[in-house]
């Protein structure tokens, strides 16, 4: 058998016995997915059907939908996550290149002086000072016999998938932030309108007391007290105005714009978004399959398992095939002639016999990293369930609070109307009227706060369920 045939047959034989070392990744068991929700559907307006992918549309507010969809494209955190994903994609290509030969072009021109006492004597045909010309192609191919490179490729791809899930998680966070800030903006504007309405109402009371004071039917103390109540209510407006501006600035930046960009568009007050009567939340097992943070943790675990295999392969021999072809000459005239052509080819092997335990230590480190990733995965599952169960409970409780406050507001508004009539008829004191006005204002603001928090907690529930990112997959 010729040398060339020996090399080719050796390469083919080694390729056929190629294998991957280390443990194979197995998808972890779906922990706790078979358990029902702690809170029952009868305790809130929830239904166990699949959640809506575009949950923000259930609020029935086109402006909110437009802001969410703009943020999904223009938000800087999402764009940064996309660039991180592109970087990870490049690292996959880098890892994959290890399966193929490297070919380099080389060339050099060297002037050298030969020793007069060397084995090859200096003479007319062999001058002491020479120019040495060299050029050619050099190739080196490390054969992935024990699967180290393939494990590195698998690990790189798993980390790419993890970053893809992290981008989805970022998208979900941004969408929920837009919805939450928008809801709080409309709630704050409604609170602003209530305060202004009460200012107008208390101004009428102050004017009435002033007229009675002018004719001697009311004391100066009564008039002073109504003015103090009016001034106290007016003092609430500046902070509310500041909160409105802050929320508008936040929404602008979330959609990738300067803080003032949405000032004109959002300053005009609108009603709070619609609260759907039934919120589909699906099953707990659906949540565990859908949440990006759980999916990302699973991919990180897969990457760590493949890292073990990559380091285990370092214990075994590395087989390489090297070769070069080119030209060498001590003269420029015949540099590229057939007589100056050189080539070489041959297999090589290297085997780490002694490394002072370095490779074993690396394997142990990767095994510990995989065990930590498994624990991180289980912790992520538990935190996701806690998040969803808490959001479910808080939303249901806030609904109850809102319904109770609606009744309280209706009662106190009726009391205020009766108190005003009794005061105007001289049947009740000014102190009772002022107290009734204050109670009515407090109830109205509490109701607006609860209506706002109901929607905020619904947004949190949707976020905890992990839905929404599917709508923006390309």
């Amino acid at each position: 058998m010729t040398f060339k045939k020996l090399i080719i047959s050796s390469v083919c034989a080694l390729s056929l016995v190629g294998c991957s070392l280390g443990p194979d990744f197995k998808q972890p068991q779906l922990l706790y997915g078979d358990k029902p929700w702690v809170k029952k559907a009868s305790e809130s307006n929830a239904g166990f059907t699949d959640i809506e992918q575009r949950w923000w549309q259930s609020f029935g507010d086109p402006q909110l939908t437009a802001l969410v969809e703009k943020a999904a494209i223009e938000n800087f955190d999402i764009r940064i996550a996309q660039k991180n994903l592109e970087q990870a994609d490049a690292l996959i290509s880098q890892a994959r290149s290890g399966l193929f030969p490297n070919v380099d072009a080389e060339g050099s021109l060297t002037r050298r002086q030969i020793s007069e006492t060397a084995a090859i004597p200096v003479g007319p045909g062999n001058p002491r000072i020479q120019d040495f010309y060299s050029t050619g192609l050099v190739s080196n191919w490390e054969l992935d016999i024990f699967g180290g490179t393939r494990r590195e490729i698998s690990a790189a791809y798993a980390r790419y998938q993890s970053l893809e899930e992290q981008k989805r998680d970022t998208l979900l966070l941004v969408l929920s932030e837009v919805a939450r800030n928008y809801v709080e903006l409309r709630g704050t504007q409604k609170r602003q309108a209530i305060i202004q309405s009460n200012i107008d109402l208390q101004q009428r009371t102050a004017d009435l007391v002033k007229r009675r004071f002018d004719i001697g039917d009311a004391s100066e103390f009564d008039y002073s007290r109504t003015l103090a109540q009016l001034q106290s209510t007016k003092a609430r407006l500046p902070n509310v105005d500041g909160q409105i501006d802050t929320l508008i600035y936040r929404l602008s930046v979330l959609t990738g714009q300067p803080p003032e960009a949405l000032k004109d568009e959002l300053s005009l007050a609108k009603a709070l978004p619609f609260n759907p009567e039934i919120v589909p939340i699906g099953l707990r097992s659906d949540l565990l399959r859908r949440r990006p943070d759980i999916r990302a943790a699973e991919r990180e675990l897969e990457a760590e398992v493949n890292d073990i295999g990559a380091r285990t392969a370092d214990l075994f021999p590395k087989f390489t095939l090297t070769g070069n072809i080119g030209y060498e000459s001590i003269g420029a005239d015949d540099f590229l002639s057939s007589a100056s052509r050189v080539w070489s080819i041959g297999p090589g092997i290297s085997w780490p016999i002694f490394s002072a335990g370095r490779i074993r230590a690396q394997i142990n480190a990767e095994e510990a990293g995989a065990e930590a990733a498994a624990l991180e995965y289980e912790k992520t599952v538990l935190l996701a369930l806690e998040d969803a169960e808490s959001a479910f409970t808080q939303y249901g409780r806030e609904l109850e609070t809102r319904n109770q406050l609606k009744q309280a507001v209706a009662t106190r508004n009726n009391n205020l109307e009766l108190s005003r009539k009794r005061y105007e008829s001289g049947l009740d004191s000014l102190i009772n009227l002022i107290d009734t006005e204050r109670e009515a204002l407090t109830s109205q603001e509490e109701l607006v706060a609860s209506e706002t928090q109901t929607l905020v907690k619904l947004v949190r529930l949707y976020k905890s369920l992990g839905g929404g990112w599917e709508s923006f997959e390309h």
Side-chain angles (χ1 to χ4, degrees):
M1 181 181 291
T2 65
F3 182 68
K4 183 176 181 181
K5 289 181 179 179
L6 176 63
I7 291 174
I8 294 173
S9 62
S10 299
V11 170
C12 292
L14 290 171
S15 299
L16 288 172
V17 300
C19 60
S20 293
L21 301 173
D24 292 324
F25 173 75
K26 295 180 180 178
Q27 188 169 358
Q29 183 181 1
L30 194 61
L31 301 172
Y32 317 110
D34 57 340
K35 304 290 185 182
W37 293 102
V38 175
K39 190 173 177 62
K40 309 303 180 191
S42 58
E43 299 179 58
S44 69
N45 64 342
F48 297 132
T49 57
D50 289 341
I51 71 165
E52 299 177 49
Q53 286 192 5
R54 295 181 176 269
W55 50 262
W56 50 91
Q57 292 183 348
S58 67
F59 292 107
D61 192 317
Q63 197 166 34
L64 171 58
T65 297
L67 289 172
V68 164
E69 292 178 353
K70 183 173 180 60
I73 299 171
E74 301 295 340
N75 179 268
F76 279 92
D77 288 332
I78 296 173
R79 292 162 66 184
I80 291 169
Q82 175 60 34
K83 293 304 175 184
N84 290 337
L85 194 59
E86 292 172 10
Q87 183 183 33
D89 186 43
L91 292 176
I92 295 175
S93 299
Q94 178 182 327
R96 191 178 290 122
S97 68
L99 293 174
F100 300 93
N102 293 324
V103 180
D104 299 323
E106 295 183 352
S108 67
L109 169 60
T110 306
R111 170 155 287 197
R112 63 186 180 180
Q113 176 176 294
I114 300 176
S115 170
E116 291 184 355
T117 59
I120 301 177
V122 176
N126 189 31
R128 186 177 183 192
I129 298 178
Q130 300 176 350
D131 290 332
F132 184 76
Y133 298 84
S134 174
T135 189
L137 299 176
V138 179
S139 177
N140 181 67
W141 186 9
E142 181 179 322
L143 305 175
D144 190 33
I145 304 302
F146 297 102
T149 301
R150 279 169 285 163
R151 289 292 194 181
E152 289 177 353
I153 294 170
S154 296
Y157 185 64
R159 290 193 167 93
Y160 169 86
Q161 291 177 310
S162 176
L163 283 172
E164 187 174 38
E165 298 300 340
Q166 290 175 42
K167 178 193 170 185
R168 290 166 175 165
D169 199 40
T170 300
L171 173 63
L172 187 55
L173 175 62
V174 169
L175 300 186
S176 63
E177 278 293 290
V178 170
R180 181 181 66 81
N181 281 274
Y182 184 83
V183 165
E184 289 185 351
L185 170 65
R186 295 312 184 196
T188 307
Q189 288 174 331
K190 185 172 182 180
R191 182 179 166 217
Q192 180 192 51
I194 288 172
I195 293 173
Q196 186 59 59
S197 175
N198 276 274
I199 288 173
D200 296 340
L201 187 63
Q202 290 170 14
Q203 183 67 60
R204 285 170 48 198
T205 301
D207 293 341
L208 173 62
V209 175
K210 178 65 166 62
R211 288 195 299 271
R212 298 186 67 173
F213 170 67
D214 289 341
I215 62 175
D217 285 346
S219 68
E220 185 177 357
F221 177 75
D222 288 342
Y223 179 54
S224 176
R225 186 157 188 166
T226 58
L227 285 179
Q229 172 79 350
L230 175 61
Q231 291 162 354
S232 177
T233 305
K234 285 182 176 180
R236 299 190 185 194
L237 275 181
N239 283 334
V240 173
D241 293 341
Q243 290 172 21
I244 290 172
D245 288 341
T246 299
L247 290 165
I248 291 174
Y249 298 155
R250 183 66 188 137
L251 284 165
S252 297
V253 174
L254 282 169
T255 54
Q257 303 177 86
E260 69 280 2
L262 297 174
K263 181 72 173 172
D264 292 339
E265 179 181 345
L266 296 179
S267 290
L268 180 63
K270 289 188 177 180
L272 275 165
F274 170 73
N275 193 155
E277 292 190 7
I278 299 296
V279 179
I281 65 170
L283 304 174
R284 278 178 40 154
S285 57
D286 298 333
L287 159 75
L288 299 180
R289 293 188 183 93
R290 185 174 52 242
R291 275 192 54 141
D293 54 345
I294 296 176
R295 293 156 62 102
E298 184 178 316
R299 299 281 70 78
E300 285 292 339
L301 174 58
E302 181 179 1
E304 292 289 345
V305 169
N306 280 296
D307 284 342
I308 297 173
R311 298 290 69 79
T312 303
D314 292 339
L315 290 171
F316 294 84
K318 295 186 183 299
F319 296 90
T320 57
L321 183 63
T322 59
N324 70 75
I325 184 170
Y327 296 88
E328 293 179 355
S329 175
I330 60 173
D333 294 339
D334 59 352
F335 175 43
L336 297 179
S337 68
S338 59
S340 300
R341 185 181 301 149
V342 294
W343 63 269
S344 68
I345 186 172
I349 182 173
S350 65
W351 196 341
I353 301 300
F354 177 75
S355 62
R358 175 181 57 83
I359 298 175
R360 286 290 182 186
Q362 289 176 335
I363 294 172
N364 292 339
E366 296 298 348
E367 288 175 344
E371 291 171 4
L375 293 172
E376 185 68 30
Y377 170 78
E378 186 170 358
K379 185 187 82 170
T380 303
V381 170
L382 290 176
L383 289 175
L385 289 173
E386 177 195 10
D387 185 25
E389 291 284 6
S390 297
F392 193 10
T393 298
Q394 290 182 15
Y395 173 62
R397 295 297 180 238
E398 194 64 53
L399 280 173
E400 296 173 14
T401 300
R402 185 196 66 180
N403 293 336
Q404 292 289 339
L405 285 171
K406 281 183 178 179
Q407 298 176 22
V409 167
T411 301
R412 285 180 172 169
N413 284 343
N414 185 59
N415 290 343
L416 177 59
E417 185 66 24
L418 292 174
S419 181
R420 183 176 300 281
K421 291 179 179 178
R422 286 174 61 83
Y423 175 74
E424 291 174 353
S425 303
L427 299 175
D428 207 350
S429 68
L430 178 63
I431 293 176
N432 286 341
L433 175 58
I434 292 175
D435 286 343
T436 307
E437 286 179 342
R438 183 171 58 249
E439 290 171 356
L441 174 59
T442 300
S443 290
Q444 290 166 1
E445 289 192 282
E446 286 176 347
L447 175 58
V448 172
S450 183
E451 289 174 337
T452 304
Q453 282 303 304
T454 299
L455 292 170
V456 167
K457 288 174 181 178
L458 177 55
V459 170
R460 185 199 163 187
L461 175 58
Y462 278 129
K463 176 184 175 296
S464 70
L465 295 173
W469 56 264
E470 306 97 328
S471 302
F472 299 97
E473 293 288 286
H474 299 297

